[in-house]
Amino acid sequence: MENKKFDVNSLIGFILIGAILVWMLYLQAPSEEEQQAEQANTEAAAEKEQNENEKKAEETSLNEATEEMASANPQDSLAYDKLKNRLGSFAYSGTLASAKKGVTVLENDDLYLEISNKGGYIEEARLKNHVTFDSVPVHLIKDGNASLNLQFSAENRLLNSEDLFFEPTVTKNDSSTVVSMKLKASESGYLEYRYALPAEGYMMDFSIQSQGLDGILNTAQPMTLDWQLKGYRHAKSITYENRYTRLTYEYEDENHDKLSPTGEDEETEKDVAWMNFRQHFFSSMLLTDTPFEEVKFTSVDLVEDEEVDTVYTKQYGAEMKLAPKAGNLSYNMNMYYGPTDYQIFKEYDRNLDEAMPLGWGIFGTINKYIIIPLFGFLSSFLPAGIAIIMLTIVIKLLLSPVQYKQYLSSAKMKVLKPELDEIRKKHEGNQMKIQQETMKLQSIAGASPLKGCLPALMQIPVFYALFTFFPTAFDLRQKSFLWADDLSSYDKVAELPFHIPFYGDHVSLFPILASIAIFAYMMMSMGQNMQAQQQPGMPNMKFIMYLSPLFMLVFFNNYASGLSLYYLTSNLITIGIMLVIKNVIIDEDKIHAKIQENKKKPRKQNRFQRKMAEMMEQAEEQKRKGK
């Protein structure tokens, strides 16, 4: 009995999918020159930081000395008076009884914050309901990894808020807790940082205001707000987490952009509305009601060797140029410290979903309006692993008409194979004539390799949308299924005593099973027309048949196991659909009879077919004349 085979052209779509995977995986890899430049830039940045630290050392020491002298006997200390004169009115705030070293706690059901009196900024930000891969509470700010410094001119001196002491005041109401941090020049003149945290959630109001500083605060001089953050590692795979750790922002009337995820990058933008120091599944964001006039963004990849455990992923920076009005500083803003979750971001209605890598164009649209709502619905009452399987089933059923057309075209090509072989034999050596007769026969039969390829191409947007969805799906984080303890990370079943380039130092099981399923699918589909590989211009189908599963096996070993689970389920369902279509729905004898019947009917060629036929006839005529 003849083996039932499949059209090789249906695999063109799958080849393109493999190319997309390779492109995405390799495009971000820095070249040797970029690595050398990165090292040089890092050394230069370190030298610059050292110089800046030395310049700040004197002012910091003076400030600390001021506090110590004031505590001992500020009224009688001549040295203290000299220091006070050097530092100006704002330094005096460090000597007030209420402005001294210490922290103020601000918290709700989801977020715990500690705000330092020195600098008036958050020195600890902890998410109460989330832990890292090793069960440690998730900290976005801790141990000096972040700073917020307002640099301004007062009394002909350039001052930095991070070196000065603020006076805290806490008030509570039914809806929020408010912390006011005041940097005082006098009892009635001050610079205020104001934090208002609601009873739940991760977004809080934040404002910077000045009051009674006429004649002290020099608003004619440049004033900048410098936000720096070094992102902590939170996931098991540093490679995977760092790939999706990136600085993104909105500027100039809802335009969106991002810095490079590798190496060192910087960009200066106008009218910036918000910025996100994204750390894969967690985000630190600053939003403003009054767009910042100009912002210089910087990003440095801190992962020098992905084979070695590391504490930090990226060093982010945003230097914002402020524009005081009428001699006063007034900016109403928001701060967000929490999950990078599409559903949470959408609640704020400020385009924050653009801070997530959901894909551009149609891919992002499919994710936002189909994949995310559908998965959100399924995961609301099903375990995450089962929800992935059900999502796959729904998608495959929706795409089954496309797959049916793909297989129907392949079946027609199989039925035509004896006649196509006869055409090649009859016109052997005359490739032009073979092409003419082949196109004519395919036109009469309503069959074409292109008709088998197009349905496969139509599935690529869905494939790519899912490829971008799973790495960003917060609902998969730390959700277990079978042997996988976290569907947002790899499902390690064995540890290797060495590191294999591109593969890693462990073995993940879901990619292995998915590779086997892909290989089985390709064996079924490619066996149908394996002879076509011998035709001129056709790729080596056997090579592709082995290469595609190899891509899955190697490059998905460090990817989210949820993505590999999807591909495993998808290919198993595809195999099942193919068997049903092949053995139950499609009758090749009826297809053959229909083709023979169509041959008897006059068939009108479309404009493209007529044009192609004319071109081929002209080429054949020129060839005859040449002989």
Side-chain angles (χ1 to χ4, degrees):
M1 182 177 177
E2 181 185 2
N3 291 331
K4 295 186 177 182
K5 303 176 181 178
F6 194 60
D7 178 18
V8 296
N9 294 283
S10 66
L11 294 166
I12 294 177
F14 196 86
I15 297 168
L16 292 175
I17 290 174
I20 291 174
L21 288 176
V22 175
W23 174 77
M24 290 185 62
L25 292 167
Y26 283 100
L27 183 62
Q28 298 176 348
S31 65
E32 183 177 352
E33 292 78 5
E34 289 174 332
Q35 292 175 348
Q36 293 173 352
E38 177 186 349
Q39 182 177 357
N41 290 334
T42 302
E43 293 173 355
E47 182 178 354
K48 180 181 177 181
E49 183 177 358
Q50 181 179 355
N51 292 336
E52 290 177 350
N53 289 338
E54 289 175 355
K55 291 173 68 176
K56 290 180 180 179
E58 179 183 0
E59 185 175 334
T60 302
S61 62
L62 288 173
N63 195 31
E64 292 175 351
T66 300
E67 184 182 5
E68 293 174 1
M69 292 178 187
S71 300
N73 191 0
Q75 301 301 324
D76 298 331
S77 174
L78 294 176
Y80 161 71
D81 289 333
K82 292 179 181 179
L83 287 171
K84 186 181 76 170
N85 290 333
R86 286 186 62 185
L87 292 177
S89 299
F90 282 101
Y92 183 70
S93 65
T95 70
L96 296 177
S98 57
K100 55 188 177 182
K101 290 182 179 178
V103 297
T104 301
V105 173
L106 180 61
E107 62 180 319
N108 62 11
D109 295 339
D110 302 299
L111 191 61
Y112 174 88
L113 304 172
E114 288 185 4
I115 304 172
S116 173
N117 290 357
K118 186 175 182 180
Y121 179 56
I122 300 166
E123 69 172 25
E124 181 177 344
R126 171 169 56 85
L127 276 59
K128 290 185 174 182
N129 304 315
H130 301 284
V131 296
T132 64
F133 71 101
D134 50 358
S135 301
V136 175
V138 170
H139 281 88
L140 298 183
I141 301 177
K142 182 184 178 183
D143 297 335
N145 73 314
S147 66
L148 184 73
N149 178 49
L150 178 64
Q151 187 175 81
F152 59 97
S153 179
E155 299 176 321
N156 298 320
R157 297 172 181 85
L158 190 63
L159 299 177
N160 294 285
S161 63
E162 63 184 2
D163 297 328
L164 304 174
F165 288 87
F166 288 67
E167 176 184 338
T169 303
V170 180
T171 57
K172 294 185 178 181
N173 54 47
D174 294 338
S175 59
S176 64
T177 302
V178 178
V179 173
S180 170
M181 306 293 292
K182 292 181 179 178
L183 176 61
K184 291 188 173 182
S186 65
E187 287 299 334
S188 59
Y190 54 83
L191 183 70
E192 181 187 30
Y193 289 175
R194 188 177 181 87
Y195 304 85
L197 183 66
E200 61 181 17
Y202 306 95
M203 183 80 80
M204 62 180 167
D205 294 336
F206 171 65
S207 64
I208 299 178
Q209 311 283 342
S210 65
Q211 179 71 38
L213 296 180
D214 296 342
I216 298 176
L217 188 65
N218 187 353
T219 56
Q221 294 297 318
M223 190 177 297
T224 60
L225 184 65
D226 187 19
W227 185 29
Q228 300 286 327
L229 184 140
K230 218 167 10 173
Y232 279 112
R233 170 193 179 181
H234 299 125
K236 182 164 53 177
S237 172
I238 181 62
T239 304
Y240 191 64
E241 180 179 18
N242 204 32
R243 183 177 293 118
Y244 296 97
T245 296
R246 202 165 185 180
L247 193 160
T248 59
Y249 54 89
E250 180 178 278
Y251 69 105
E252 293 180 355
D253 297 328
E254 300 186 0
N255 289 310
H256 302 92
D257 209 343
K258 47 193 170 289
L259 297 190
S260 171
T262 61
E264 188 170 341
D265 194 13
E266 69 175 47
E267 193 67 58
T268 300
E269 300 289 1
K270 304 285 188 182
D271 298 327
V272 175
W274 56 254
M275 62 203 74
N276 181 10
F277 292 173
R278 191 179 75 218
Q279 299 164 251
H280 195 185
F281 283 125
F282 300 99
S283 291
S284 302
M285 307 185 74
L286 181 64
L287 309 89
T288 176
D289 295 342
T290 304
F292 297 117
E293 182 180 284
E294 182 178 283
V295 181
K296 179 182 179 182
F297 295 107
T298 58
S299 175
V300 180
D301 188 356
L302 301 178
V303 182
E304 297 181 0
D305 188 349
E306 295 181 343
E307 299 178 26
V308 179
D309 282 348
T310 184
V311 176
Y312 301 106
T313 54
K314 296 285 196 313
Q315 170 72 59
Y316 293 132
E319 187 177 298
M320 296 153 267
K321 183 183 293 185
L322 304 185
K325 295 181 179 179
N328 291 316
L329 185 63
S330 178
Y331 273 85
N332 293 319
M333 297 174 277
N334 298 94
M335 284 183 169
Y336 177 92
Y337 294 100
T340 309
D341 189 326
Y342 178 83
Q343 301 295 352
I344 294 177
F345 282 1
K346 285 297 291 182
E347 291 177 4
Y348 298 113
D349 194 26
R350 297 185 68 171
N351 299 322
L352 301 188
D353 55 292
E354 297 293 340
M356 300 183 65
L358 297 176
W360 53 271
I362 188 175
F363 310 118
T365 301
I366 292 173
N367 270 326
K368 293 177 183 179
Y369 300 106
I370 299 177
I371 305 300
I372 292 177
L374 179 57
F375 183 77
F377 169 73
L378 294 171
S379 61
S380 66
F381 61 90
L382 293 173
I386 302 299
I388 291 175
I389 294 174
M390 292 304 300
L391 173 70
T392 311
I393 292 173
V394 172
I395 290 174
K396 296 304 292 185
L397 289 176
L398 292 175
L399 292 176
S400 58
V402 176
Q403 190 168 0
Y404 170 77
K405 290 182 179 180
Q406 182 180 350
Y407 195 88
L408 179 61
S409 177
S410 175
K412 289 182 179 180
M413 292 297 296
K414 179 185 175 183
V415 170
L416 291 177
K417 186 178 182 302
E419 296 182 57
L420 293 173
D421 290 341
E422 182 64 28
I423 290 174
R424 283 191 289 269
K425 183 178 179 180
K426 180 178 179 181
H427 302 285
E428 186 175 0
N430 189 342
Q431 191 63 34
M432 186 71 69
K433 191 65 175 177
I434 291 175
Q435 291 179 357
Q436 283 181 312
E437 294 298 321
T438 298
M439 289 180 62
K440 182 178 179 182
L441 178 61
Q442 290 174 347
S443 176
I444 293 173
S448 169
L450 187 61
K451 289 187 177 181
C453 181
L454 285 177
L457 293 176
M458 290 172 61
Q459 299 179 61
I460 288 181
V462 177
F463 169 87
Y464 184 76
L466 288 163
F467 183 84
T468 57
F469 164 73
F470 282 102
T472 61
F474 190 85
D475 289 342
L476 293 181
R477 186 176 183 272
Q478 297 182 339
K479 299 297 194 306
S480 61
F481 181 68
L482 299 178
W483 57 86
D485 56 4
D486 185 351
L487 287 169
S488 71
S489 186
Y490 55 80
D491 56 313
K492 180 177 67 176
V493 293
E495 192 83 35
L496 298 176
F498 46 81
H499 184 276
I500 302 175
F502 302 109
Y503 188 75
D505 58 0
H506 63 275
V507 177
S508 298
L509 184 53
F510 273 129
I512 295 176
L513 297 178
S515 299
I516 294 173
I518 290 175
F519 184 76
Y521 161 73
M522 299 191 78
M523 285 286 290
M524 290 178 59
S525 60
M526 297 182 68
Q528 184 158 324
N529 282 308
M530 193 64 76
Q531 295 176 354
Q533 65 175 317
Q534 305 300 328
Q535 298 179 20
M538 292 297 293
N540 189 319
M541 292 295 109
K542 286 185 177 180
F543 173 75
I544 295 174
M545 185 170 64
Y546 292 112
L547 184 63
S548 297
L550 185 62
F551 278 148
M552 170 65 70
L553 181 65
V554 174
F555 294 112
F556 279 64
N557 193 56
N558 290 294
Y559 266 63
S561 53
L563 183 59
S564 300
L565 172 61
Y566 164 77
Y567 288 131
L568 169 62
T569 308
S570 177
N571 281 281
L572 291 177
I573 295 173
T574 299
I575 291 172
I577 291 176
M578 284 180 60
L579 291 174
V580 171
I581 292 175
K582 187 176 183 180
N583 297 309
V584 179
I585 299 178
I586 290 181
D587 187 329
E588 293 182 358
D589 292 335
K590 289 184 179 180
I591 291 176
H592 184 268
K594 184 73 175 292
I595 290 175
Q596 300 306 317
E597 184 179 342
N598 288 341
K599 287 182 180 179
K600 300 175 183 179
K601 299 178 182 178
R603 188 174 183 87
K604 185 178 180 181
Q605 291 183 323
N606 59 39
R607 184 176 179 182
F608 174 76
Q609 290 172 330
R610 289 198 305 270
K611 188 67 176 177
M612 288 295 297
E614 291 173 2
M615 291 174 60
M616 296 180 74
E617 288 174 1
Q618 291 173 3
E620 181 67 20
E621 181 65 24
Q622 290 177 358
K623 186 176 179 181
R624 272 198 309 270
K625 290 181 178 179
K627 290 182 178 181

